[in-house]
């Protein structure tokens, strides 16, 4: 009889430990929730930075004409009268080198 009581106590202990560690509100679930909370907190911090930048941009656009002009120049590529617009394309070969290669190819084709 004592053997059965001992086995019953051990079985109940194992069941409660399983529920504590692996159950719905157990330690493993708690660790997953904490990781999720940290991920959400970092995403929230990034969004707060973006919100602050957008709020500063809105305030700048509301305050003055120069901010609107800067936005139009950078976003829309607008140019004032009398200005010359130069676009530098990164990674493109310089025009002189391209012209020299083209000239060399023409000379090679002729001769």
């Amino acid at each position: 009889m004592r053997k059965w009581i001992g086995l019953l106590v051990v079985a109940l202990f194992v069941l409660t430990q399983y529920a504590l560690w692996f159950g719905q509100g157990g330690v493993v679930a708690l660790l997953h929730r904490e990781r999720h909370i940290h991920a959400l907190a970092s995403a929230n911090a990034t969004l707060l930075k973006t919100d602050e930048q957008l709020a500063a941009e809105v305030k700048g656009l509301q305050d003055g004409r120069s901010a609107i002009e800067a936005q139009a120049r950078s976003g829309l590529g607008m140019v004032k009268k009398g200005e010359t617009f130069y676009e530098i394309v990164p990674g493109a070969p310089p025009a002189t080198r391209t012209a020299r290669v083209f000239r060399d190819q023409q000379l090679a084709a002729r001769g």
Side-chain angles (χ1 to χ4, degrees):
M1 183 74 169
R2 283 187 174 178
K3 183 178 177 181
W4 290 107
I5 293 175
L7 286 175
L8 181 63
V9 168
V10 169
L12 289 174
F13 179 75
V14 168
L15 285 175
T16 57
Q17 287 299 308
Y18 180 82
L20 173 69
W21 287 96
F22 304 107
Q24 192 174 20
V27 175
V28 174
L30 177 68
L31 293 175
H32 286 294
R33 285 189 188 112
E34 284 179 356
R35 275 192 232 126
H36 186 67
I37 288 170
H38 288 296
L40 290 175
S42 66
N44 194 20
T46 304
L47 290 173
L48 285 174
K49 278 185 182 178
T50 305
D51 285 349
E52 289 172 4
Q53 291 171 348
L54 289 173
E57 186 177 339
V58 166
K59 186 175 184 328
L61 290 172
Q62 289 173 344
D63 287 346
R65 182 173 168 83
S66 63
I68 295 171
E69 182 179 331
Q71 184 69 24
R73 286 173 172 270
S74 67
L76 303 174
M78 298 184 89
V79 180
K80 286 183 179 179
K81 277 189 176 180
E83 286 184 337
T84 304
F85 177 74
Y86 295 98
E87 182 177 8
I88 299 172
V89 181
T96 56
R97 194 168 86 197
T98 305
R100 192 177 317 126
V101 169
F102 181 73
R103 186 186 66 223
D104 292 343
Q105 288 174 349
Q106 284 182 337
L107 292 174
R110 288 183 190 165

